[in-house]
Amino acid sequence: MADNRGVVYTGSGGVEVKDIKFPDLILENGPGVPEGNAGRKCEHGVILKIITTNICGSDQHMVRGRTTAPSGLVLGHEITGEVIEAGRDVEFISKGDFVSVPFNVACGRCKMCKRQDTHICTHVNPQQPGGAYGYVDMGGWVGGQSEYVMIPYADFQLLKFPDKDQAMDKILDLTMLSDIFPTGYHGAVSAGVTTGSTVYVAGAGPVGLAAAHSAQLLGAAVVIVGDLKPERLKQAESFGCETINLKKHDNVGEQIEQILGEPVVDSAIDAVGFEAYGHGTDHKEAPATVLNTMMDVVEAGGKMGIPGLYVVEDPGASDKDAQQGSLKVNFGVGWSKAQHFVTGQTPVMKYHRQLMNAILNGKANIAKAVNATVISLDEAPQGYDDFDSGVSKKFVIDPHGML
Protein backbone atom coordinates (compact mmCIF):
# COMPACT_ATOMS: atom_id res chain seq x y z
CA MET A 1 0.00 0.00 0.00
CA ALA A 2 1.00 3.63 -0.45
CA ASP A 3 2.76 5.60 2.22
CA ASN A 4 0.91 8.12 4.36
CA ARG A 5 1.72 11.54 5.76
CA GLY A 6 -0.09 13.60 8.35
CA VAL A 7 -0.05 16.76 10.46
CA VAL A 8 1.37 15.80 13.83
CA TYR A 9 1.22 17.77 17.08
CA THR A 10 4.77 18.05 18.39
CA GLY A 11 4.14 19.89 21.65
CA SER A 12 2.98 23.34 22.70
CA GLY A 13 2.93 25.62 19.67
CA GLY A 14 4.18 23.05 17.18
CA VAL A 15 2.90 20.96 14.28
CA GLU A 16 4.86 19.15 11.58
CA VAL A 17 4.00 17.12 8.51
CA LYS A 18 5.46 13.67 9.15
CA ASP A 19 5.41 10.16 7.72
CA ILE A 20 2.75 8.18 9.55
CA LYS A 21 1.47 4.62 9.31
CA PHE A 22 -0.92 3.76 6.51
CA PRO A 23 -4.29 3.04 8.18
CA ASP A 24 -5.65 -0.44 8.76
CA LEU A 25 -9.08 -1.54 9.98
CA ILE A 26 -7.89 -1.54 13.56
CA LEU A 27 -7.24 1.18 16.12
CA GLU A 28 -3.68 0.45 17.15
CA ASN A 29 -2.05 1.75 20.29
CA GLY A 30 -0.55 5.21 19.90
CA PRO A 31 -0.59 8.79 21.23
CA GLY A 32 -3.85 9.50 23.03
CA VAL A 33 -5.31 6.00 22.58
CA PRO A 34 -6.82 4.84 25.89
CA GLU A 35 -6.08 1.30 27.00
CA GLY A 36 -9.64 0.18 26.36
CA ASN A 37 -9.47 1.21 22.70
CA ALA A 38 -6.01 -0.08 21.77
CA GLY A 39 -6.28 -2.97 19.33
CA ARG A 40 -9.96 -2.36 18.63
CA LYS A 41 -10.99 -4.15 15.42
CA CYS A 42 -13.00 -2.12 12.90
CA GLU A 43 -14.27 -4.43 10.16
CA HIS A 44 -17.27 -2.06 10.13
CA GLY A 45 -14.94 0.70 8.90
CA VAL A 46 -13.41 2.00 5.69
CA ILE A 47 -10.12 3.48 4.53
CA LEU A 48 -10.44 6.91 2.92
CA LYS A 49 -8.21 8.74 0.51
CA ILE A 50 -8.56 12.30 1.77
CA ILE A 51 -10.07 14.77 -0.70
CA THR A 52 -10.17 17.68 1.75
CA THR A 53 -9.46 18.10 5.45
CA ASN A 54 -9.75 21.39 7.30
CA ILE A 55 -7.94 23.22 10.09
CA CYS A 56 -10.32 23.96 12.95
CA GLY A 57 -10.17 26.42 15.81
CA SER A 58 -10.53 23.45 18.14
CA ASP A 59 -7.23 22.12 16.78
CA GLN A 60 -5.65 25.44 17.70
CA HIS A 61 -6.56 24.98 21.36
CA MET A 62 -4.37 21.87 21.41
CA VAL A 63 -1.55 23.39 19.40
CA ARG A 64 -1.42 26.38 21.76
CA GLY A 65 -0.91 23.99 24.66
CA ARG A 66 -4.31 24.72 26.17
CA THR A 67 -5.27 21.07 26.57
CA THR A 68 -3.59 17.86 27.74
CA ALA A 69 -3.11 16.59 24.17
CA PRO A 70 -0.08 14.29 23.89
CA SER A 71 2.82 14.95 21.56
CA GLY A 72 2.62 12.74 18.49
CA LEU A 73 -1.14 13.05 18.05
CA VAL A 74 -2.19 13.13 14.37
CA LEU A 75 -4.58 16.06 14.10
CA GLY A 76 -7.72 16.63 12.06
CA HIS A 77 -11.42 15.95 12.58
CA GLU A 78 -12.91 17.68 9.51
CA ILE A 79 -12.67 15.01 6.83
CA THR A 80 -14.05 14.47 3.32
CA GLY A 81 -12.76 11.57 1.27
CA GLU A 82 -13.03 8.77 -1.27
CA VAL A 83 -13.50 5.20 -0.08
CA ILE A 84 -10.60 3.01 -1.24
CA GLU A 85 -11.24 -0.01 0.99
CA ALA A 86 -14.30 -1.25 2.88
CA GLY A 87 -14.28 -3.65 5.81
CA ARG A 88 -15.92 -7.06 5.83
CA ASP A 89 -18.98 -5.83 7.74
CA VAL A 90 -19.70 -2.75 5.60
CA GLU A 91 -22.88 -3.22 3.53
CA PHE A 92 -24.00 0.13 2.13
CA ILE A 93 -20.82 2.11 1.47
CA SER A 94 -18.69 1.04 -1.49
CA LYS A 95 -15.21 1.57 -2.89
CA GLY A 96 -15.18 4.77 -4.93
CA ASP A 97 -17.89 6.58 -2.93
CA PHE A 98 -17.23 10.24 -2.07
CA VAL A 99 -18.28 10.87 1.53
CA SER A 100 -18.39 13.43 4.32
CA VAL A 101 -17.25 12.24 7.75
CA PRO A 102 -18.99 13.64 10.86
CA PHE A 103 -16.32 14.67 13.34
CA ASN A 104 -18.21 12.70 16.01
CA VAL A 105 -17.14 9.07 16.12
CA ALA A 106 -20.38 7.23 16.83
CA CYS A 107 -21.38 3.56 16.90
CA GLY A 108 -25.06 3.79 15.97
CA ARG A 109 -25.91 1.13 18.55
CA CYS A 110 -25.86 2.76 21.99
CA LYS A 111 -28.70 4.59 23.73
CA MET A 112 -27.27 8.01 22.85
CA CYS A 113 -26.83 7.25 19.16
CA LYS A 114 -30.35 5.82 18.93
CA ARG A 115 -31.77 9.11 20.17
CA GLN A 116 -29.55 11.07 17.68
CA ASP A 117 -27.13 12.28 20.34
CA THR A 118 -24.14 11.04 18.37
CA HIS A 119 -21.86 13.58 20.05
CA ILE A 120 -22.04 11.62 23.31
CA CYS A 121 -21.83 8.05 22.01
CA THR A 122 -21.00 5.74 24.93
CA HIS A 123 -19.27 2.96 22.95
CA VAL A 124 -16.36 4.69 21.18
CA ASN A 125 -14.39 6.15 24.07
CA PRO A 126 -13.65 4.30 27.34
CA GLN A 127 -12.80 7.56 29.12
CA GLN A 128 -16.00 9.58 28.66
CA PRO A 129 -19.03 9.88 26.37
CA GLY A 130 -18.15 11.10 22.88
CA GLY A 131 -15.40 10.44 20.36
CA ALA A 132 -13.65 12.45 17.66
CA TYR A 133 -10.77 12.09 15.23
CA GLY A 134 -7.38 13.53 16.15
CA TYR A 135 -8.55 15.13 19.37
CA VAL A 136 -7.52 15.01 23.01
CA ASP A 137 -9.52 12.70 25.32
CA MET A 138 -11.81 11.65 22.45
CA GLY A 139 -10.95 7.97 22.19
CA GLY A 140 -7.61 8.18 20.38
CA TRP A 141 -9.09 7.87 16.88
CA VAL A 142 -6.36 8.88 14.41
CA GLY A 143 -6.88 12.29 12.82
CA GLY A 144 -7.51 13.03 9.17
CA GLN A 145 -5.17 15.90 8.36
CA SER A 146 -3.35 13.32 6.33
CA GLU A 147 -3.39 11.52 3.01
CA TYR A 148 -5.34 8.48 4.22
CA VAL A 149 -7.43 7.71 7.30
CA MET A 150 -9.55 4.92 8.79
CA ILE A 151 -13.20 5.66 9.60
CA PRO A 152 -15.13 3.17 11.80
CA TYR A 153 -18.89 2.43 11.72
CA ALA A 154 -19.02 3.49 8.08
CA ASP A 155 -22.58 2.44 7.26
CA PHE A 156 -23.96 4.48 10.13
CA GLN A 157 -21.73 7.54 10.01
CA LEU A 158 -20.80 8.40 6.47
CA LEU A 159 -22.78 10.83 4.33
CA LYS A 160 -22.45 9.74 0.70
CA PHE A 161 -22.58 12.45 -1.94
CA PRO A 162 -25.09 11.54 -4.69
CA ASP A 163 -22.90 12.56 -7.64
CA LYS A 164 -19.09 12.76 -7.74
CA ASP A 165 -18.81 15.49 -10.37
CA GLN A 166 -21.39 17.63 -8.59
CA ALA A 167 -19.57 17.03 -5.31
CA MET A 168 -16.22 18.17 -6.68
CA ASP A 169 -17.88 21.27 -8.14
CA LYS A 170 -19.20 22.12 -4.66
CA ILE A 171 -16.35 20.61 -2.65
CA LEU A 172 -15.36 23.82 -0.80
CA ASP A 173 -18.89 24.00 0.56
CA LEU A 174 -19.30 20.28 1.16
CA THR A 175 -16.05 20.04 3.12
CA MET A 176 -17.69 22.20 5.80
CA LEU A 177 -20.30 19.47 6.49
CA SER A 178 -17.91 17.50 8.69
CA ASP A 179 -17.99 20.13 11.43
CA ILE A 180 -18.31 23.87 11.20
CA PHE A 181 -21.47 24.18 9.13
CA PRO A 182 -23.48 21.75 11.30
CA THR A 183 -21.83 23.27 14.39
CA GLY A 184 -22.84 26.80 13.44
CA TYR A 185 -26.29 25.57 12.47
CA HIS A 186 -26.66 23.66 15.75
CA GLY A 187 -25.74 26.84 17.62
CA ALA A 188 -28.47 28.74 15.80
CA VAL A 189 -31.08 26.00 16.21
CA SER A 190 -30.21 25.62 19.91
CA ALA A 191 -30.66 29.37 20.33
CA GLY A 192 -34.16 29.13 18.89
CA VAL A 193 -33.42 31.25 15.82
CA THR A 194 -36.42 31.49 13.52
CA THR A 195 -38.13 33.86 11.10
CA GLY A 196 -37.68 37.45 12.25
CA SER A 197 -35.23 36.70 15.07
CA THR A 198 -32.60 39.12 16.28
CA VAL A 199 -29.36 37.26 17.05
CA TYR A 200 -26.01 38.09 18.63
CA VAL A 201 -23.09 35.86 17.56
CA ALA A 202 -20.00 36.09 19.74
CA GLY A 203 -16.92 35.46 17.60
CA ALA A 204 -16.29 35.88 13.88
CA GLY A 205 -13.98 32.94 13.38
CA PRO A 206 -15.13 30.19 11.00
CA VAL A 207 -17.70 28.73 13.44
CA GLY A 208 -19.08 32.18 14.23
CA LEU A 209 -19.37 32.98 10.55
CA ALA A 210 -21.05 29.61 9.96
CA ALA A 211 -23.45 30.35 12.83
CA ALA A 212 -24.25 33.76 11.36
CA HIS A 213 -24.90 32.28 7.90
CA SER A 214 -27.02 29.57 9.51
CA ALA A 215 -29.08 32.16 11.40
CA GLN A 216 -29.76 33.86 8.08
CA LEU A 217 -30.83 30.53 6.54
CA LEU A 218 -33.24 30.07 9.44
CA GLY A 219 -34.84 33.44 8.72
CA ALA A 220 -33.25 35.81 11.23
CA ALA A 221 -34.11 39.45 10.63
CA VAL A 222 -30.86 40.83 12.05
CA VAL A 223 -27.62 38.99 12.81
CA ILE A 224 -25.06 40.93 14.88
CA VAL A 225 -21.51 39.56 15.10
CA GLY A 226 -18.97 40.68 17.70
CA ASP A 227 -15.21 40.17 17.47
CA LEU A 228 -11.87 41.80 18.30
CA LYS A 229 -10.44 41.42 14.78
CA PRO A 230 -11.45 43.99 12.11
CA GLU A 231 -10.63 41.56 9.30
CA ARG A 232 -13.03 38.99 10.69
CA LEU A 233 -15.75 41.59 11.17
CA LYS A 234 -15.31 42.69 7.55
CA GLN A 235 -15.88 39.08 6.49
CA ALA A 236 -19.12 38.97 8.50
CA GLU A 237 -20.25 42.20 6.87
CA SER A 238 -19.57 40.71 3.42
CA PHE A 239 -22.70 38.55 3.65
CA GLY A 240 -25.01 40.99 5.38
CA CYS A 241 -24.26 40.87 9.11
CA GLU A 242 -24.16 43.83 11.45
CA THR A 243 -20.96 43.95 13.51
CA ILE A 244 -19.55 45.16 16.82
CA ASN A 245 -15.82 45.83 17.22
CA LEU A 246 -15.17 44.50 20.72
CA LYS A 247 -11.71 45.99 20.75
CA LYS A 248 -13.26 49.46 20.73
CA HIS A 249 -16.44 48.79 22.69
CA ASP A 250 -16.80 46.94 25.98
CA ASN A 251 -20.57 47.38 26.38
CA VAL A 252 -22.25 45.04 23.92
CA GLY A 253 -25.75 46.04 25.03
CA GLU A 254 -25.11 49.68 24.10
CA GLN A 255 -23.90 48.66 20.66
CA ILE A 256 -26.89 46.39 20.13
CA GLU A 257 -29.18 49.27 21.08
CA GLN A 258 -27.61 51.44 18.38
CA ILE A 259 -28.45 48.74 15.84
CA LEU A 260 -31.86 47.56 17.05
CA GLY A 261 -33.14 50.44 19.17
CA GLU A 262 -33.07 48.28 22.29
CA PRO A 263 -30.15 46.69 24.19
CA VAL A 264 -31.37 43.09 23.91
CA VAL A 265 -31.64 40.33 21.31
CA ASP A 266 -33.93 37.32 21.06
CA SER A 267 -31.05 34.87 21.19
CA ALA A 268 -27.28 34.50 21.14
CA ILE A 269 -24.60 32.03 20.03
CA ASP A 270 -21.21 31.50 21.69
CA ALA A 271 -18.69 30.68 18.95
CA VAL A 272 -15.64 31.57 21.07
CA GLY A 273 -15.39 29.15 23.98
CA PHE A 274 -12.93 29.05 26.84
CA GLU A 275 -10.13 31.12 25.29
CA ALA A 276 -12.18 34.32 25.42
CA TYR A 277 -10.68 37.78 25.95
CA GLY A 278 -12.11 40.72 27.83
CA HIS A 279 -13.83 43.40 25.80
CA GLY A 280 -12.68 47.01 25.47
CA THR A 281 -9.13 48.16 26.05
CA ASP A 282 -8.11 45.36 28.43
CA HIS A 283 -7.51 42.28 26.30
CA LYS A 284 -6.43 39.90 29.00
CA GLU A 285 -8.00 36.47 29.05
CA ALA A 286 -11.43 36.40 30.64
CA PRO A 287 -12.88 32.97 29.84
CA ALA A 288 -16.39 33.71 31.14
CA THR A 289 -16.74 36.98 29.20
CA VAL A 290 -18.85 35.60 26.38
CA LEU A 291 -21.22 33.64 28.61
CA ASN A 292 -21.78 36.60 30.94
CA THR A 293 -22.25 39.00 28.04
CA MET A 294 -24.84 36.76 26.42
CA MET A 295 -26.83 36.51 29.63
CA ASP A 296 -26.83 40.30 29.80
CA VAL A 297 -28.01 40.94 26.25
CA VAL A 298 -30.42 38.04 25.66
CA GLU A 299 -33.98 38.89 26.59
CA ALA A 300 -35.82 37.22 29.47
CA GLY A 301 -36.84 33.73 28.43
CA GLY A 302 -34.39 33.80 25.52
CA LYS A 303 -32.12 31.00 24.40
CA MET A 304 -28.36 30.63 24.00
CA GLY A 305 -26.57 28.10 21.82
CA ILE A 306 -23.07 27.36 23.09
CA PRO A 307 -21.10 25.36 20.49
CA GLY A 308 -17.90 27.15 21.56
CA LEU A 309 -15.52 24.70 23.21
CA TYR A 310 -15.13 24.52 27.00
CA VAL A 311 -12.78 22.06 28.70
CA VAL A 312 -12.32 20.43 32.09
CA GLU A 313 -8.55 20.97 32.01
CA ASP A 314 -6.78 24.07 30.65
CA PRO A 315 -3.11 23.97 31.67
CA GLY A 316 -2.46 27.34 30.05
CA ALA A 317 -5.20 29.24 31.89
CA SER A 318 -4.37 32.39 33.81
CA ASP A 319 -5.87 31.25 37.13
CA LYS A 320 -6.20 27.99 39.04
CA ASP A 321 -9.98 27.80 38.76
CA ALA A 322 -9.92 28.14 34.98
CA GLN A 323 -7.19 25.48 34.80
CA GLN A 324 -9.82 23.06 36.09
CA GLY A 325 -12.56 24.39 33.82
CA SER A 326 -14.23 26.40 36.60
CA LEU A 327 -15.32 29.81 35.32
CA LYS A 328 -16.78 32.85 37.08
CA VAL A 329 -20.16 32.76 35.38
CA ASN A 330 -22.90 35.08 36.66
CA PHE A 331 -25.40 32.27 36.64
CA GLY A 332 -27.85 34.18 38.81
CA VAL A 333 -28.48 36.56 35.92
CA GLY A 334 -29.40 33.71 33.61
CA TRP A 335 -31.53 32.06 36.26
CA SER A 336 -33.44 35.23 37.13
CA LYS A 337 -34.15 35.86 33.42
CA ALA A 338 -35.31 32.25 32.92
CA GLN A 339 -32.91 31.82 30.05
CA HIS A 340 -32.17 28.56 28.26
CA PHE A 341 -28.66 27.16 27.65
CA VAL A 342 -27.69 24.41 25.21
CA THR A 343 -24.10 23.22 25.47
CA GLY A 344 -21.85 20.47 24.16
CA GLN A 345 -20.42 19.26 20.89
CA THR A 346 -22.64 19.16 17.84
CA PRO A 347 -24.45 15.96 16.80
CA VAL A 348 -23.40 16.42 13.18
CA MET A 349 -25.58 13.64 11.79
CA LYS A 350 -28.71 15.44 12.96
CA TYR A 351 -28.09 18.15 10.36
CA HIS A 352 -25.56 17.17 7.70
CA ARG A 353 -27.92 15.64 5.12
CA GLN A 354 -30.24 18.65 5.09
CA LEU A 355 -27.30 21.02 4.90
CA MET A 356 -25.82 18.99 2.03
CA ASN A 357 -29.09 19.39 0.15
CA ALA A 358 -29.05 23.13 0.82
CA ILE A 359 -25.53 23.33 -0.63
CA LEU A 360 -26.21 21.17 -3.69
CA ASN A 361 -29.34 23.16 -4.52
CA GLY A 362 -27.70 26.56 -4.14
CA LYS A 363 -29.45 27.62 -0.93
CA ALA A 364 -26.30 27.77 1.22
CA ASN A 365 -22.97 29.37 0.38
CA ILE A 366 -20.93 28.42 3.40
CA ALA A 367 -17.52 28.43 1.66
CA LYS A 368 -17.98 32.08 0.72
CA ALA A 369 -19.21 32.98 4.20
CA VAL A 370 -16.13 31.51 5.92
CA ASN A 371 -13.66 32.47 3.16
CA ALA A 372 -12.52 28.92 2.35
CA THR A 373 -8.84 28.96 1.34
CA VAL A 374 -7.13 25.92 -0.16
CA ILE A 375 -3.61 24.92 0.90
CA SER A 376 -1.44 21.84 0.40
CA LEU A 377 -0.59 19.36 3.13
CA ASP A 378 2.94 20.74 3.28
CA GLU A 379 1.52 24.23 3.85
CA ALA A 380 -0.49 23.08 6.89
CA PRO A 381 2.03 24.31 9.54
CA GLN A 382 1.97 27.77 7.99
CA GLY A 383 -1.81 27.56 7.86
CA TYR A 384 -1.86 26.93 11.61
CA ASP A 385 0.37 29.98 12.17
CA ASP A 386 -1.79 32.19 9.94
CA PHE A 387 -5.02 31.00 11.54
CA ASP A 388 -3.58 31.65 14.99
CA SER A 389 -2.76 35.23 13.98
CA GLY A 390 -6.45 35.88 13.37
CA VAL A 391 -6.72 35.92 9.58
CA SER A 392 -10.27 35.59 8.34
CA LYS A 393 -9.81 32.37 6.40
CA LYS A 394 -10.96 28.78 6.74
CA PHE A 395 -7.99 26.68 5.64
CA VAL A 396 -8.88 23.65 3.54
CA ILE A 397 -6.04 21.14 3.10
CA ASP A 398 -5.86 19.41 -0.28
CA PRO A 399 -3.35 16.58 0.35
CA HIS A 400 -3.52 14.96 -3.11
CA GLY A 401 -3.90 18.05 -5.31
CA MET A 402 -7.42 16.97 -6.30
CA LEU A 403 -8.77 20.52 -6.25
Side-chain angles (χ1 to χ4, degrees):
M1 240 343 154
D3 294 331
N4 194 16
R5 296 190 305 149
V7 179
V8 177
Y9 173 59
T10 59
S12 181
V15 296
E16 294 181 13
V17 178
K18 293 187 174 185
D19 290 335
I20 61 174
K21 189 179 183 300
F22 192 88
D24 199 355
L25 296 174
I26 187 171
L27 178 56
E28 297 181 352
N29 196 15
V33 180
E35 183 178 352
N37 259 2
R40 188 168 183 163
K41 295 180 181 180
C42 297
E43 287 292 344
H44 42 63
V46 298
I47 307 299
L48 294 187
K49 176 183 178 181
I50 302 297
I51 299 173
T52 55
T53 177
N54 313 327
I55 297 175
C56 180
S58 296
D59 299 323
Q60 290 283 14
H61 295 308
M62 293 186 290
V63 173
R64 294 188 190 112
R66 300 301 295 267
T67 71
T68 56
S71 179
L73 186 71
V74 181
L75 302 175
H77 55 271
E78 300 190 11
I79 304 166
T80 304
E82 177 185 5
V83 177
I84 62 170
E85 180 183 343
R88 177 194 62 210
D89 299 333
V90 177
E91 293 187 72
F92 307 113
I93 296 292
S94 303
K95 184 177 178 180
D97 287 346
F98 283 16
V99 296
S100 176
V101 182
F103 79 86
N104 321 111
V105 182
C107 72
R109 298 159 169 82
C110 71
K111 175 182 177 181
M112 302 305 170
C113 285
K114 288 181 178 180
R115 70 182 195 193
Q116 288 193 307
D117 288 333
T118 53
H119 57 309
I120 45 176
C121 173
T122 57
H123 286 169
V124 296
N125 183 359
Q127 296 176 311
Q128 63 188 39
Y133 304 93
Y135 210 83
V136 59
D137 296 332
M138 285 288 150
W141 300 94
V142 179
Q145 286 175 12
S146 56
E147 295 173 329
Y148 302 91
V149 70
M150 188 271 285
I151 304 298
Y153 305 105
D155 281 330
F156 176 65
Q157 293 194 103
L158 295 181
L159 176 66
K160 178 183 173 181
F161 300 142
D163 181 86
K164 293 181 184 180
D165 291 335
Q166 184 188 33
M168 289 306 294
D169 186 54
K170 295 276 191 177
I171 195 65
L172 288 183
D173 293 288
L174 295 173
T175 190
M176 306 304 167
L177 291 173
S178 56
D179 183 355
I180 70 161
F181 197 9
T183 293
Y185 193 82
H186 178 62
V189 169
S190 299
V193 177
T194 187
T195 304
S197 292
T198 58
V199 186
Y200 173 63
V201 179
V207 169
L209 296 171
H213 183 49
S214 298
Q216 292 173 334
L217 291 175
L218 289 165
V222 183
V223 179
I224 304 168
V225 180
D227 200 279
L228 297 161
K229 302 281 188 181
E231 181 181 349
R232 291 184 169 188
L233 294 173
K234 185 177 180 181
Q235 181 64 25
E237 291 167 358
S238 74
F239 58 96
C241 299
E242 300 287 341
T243 59
I244 299 172
N245 187 330
L246 299 175
K247 190 173 183 178
K248 295 181 178 179
H249 306 288
D250 63 353
N251 191 317
V252 174
E254 287 182 357
Q255 298 305 305
I256 288 174
E257 186 170 21
Q258 290 187 19
I259 297 167
L260 299 178
E262 57 181 352
V264 295
V265 289
D266 298 327
S267 55
I269 304 165
D270 174 2
V272 178
F274 73 103
E275 283 195 75
Y277 290 88
H279 301 160
T281 58
D282 182 8
H283 297 118
K284 294 181 180 180
E285 285 199 18
T289 294
V290 172
L291 298 174
N292 289 331
T293 297
M294 292 200 310
M295 286 187 284
D296 285 339
V297 303
V298 171
E299 67 180 1
K303 294 183 179 180
M304 286 166 270
I306 308 174
L309 177 68
Y310 289 87
V311 294
V312 295
E313 289 185 85
D314 175 9
S318 57
D319 64 72
K320 290 184 178 180
D321 286 338
Q323 289 174 6
Q324 302 301 317
S326 181
L327 309 182
K328 297 178 180 178
V329 176
N330 298 329
F331 191 72
V333 174
W335 189 92
S336 66
K337 294 173 74 173
Q339 293 170 330
H340 300 248
F341 304 77
V342 177
T343 66
Q345 294 185 12
T346 298
V348 170
M349 292 179 66
K350 190 175 288 187
Y351 308 107
H352 66 174
R353 186 172 298 277
Q354 302 98 302
L355 295 177
M356 176 187 71
N357 289 335
I359 288 169
L360 294 179
N361 290 284
K363 303 300 183 183
N365 298 291
I366 186 64
K368 181 180 178 182
V370 302
N371 194 18
T373 303
V374 179
I375 60 175
S376 69
L377 185 63
D378 288 318
E379 293 173 313
Q382 185 61 52
Y384 270 91
D385 288 343
D386 292 345
F387 192 18
D388 195 45
S389 73
V391 297
S392 188
K393 296 178 180 180
K394 176 66 174 178
F395 288 108
V396 176
I397 300 172
D398 174 16
H400 294 283
M402 295 180 70
L403 275 61

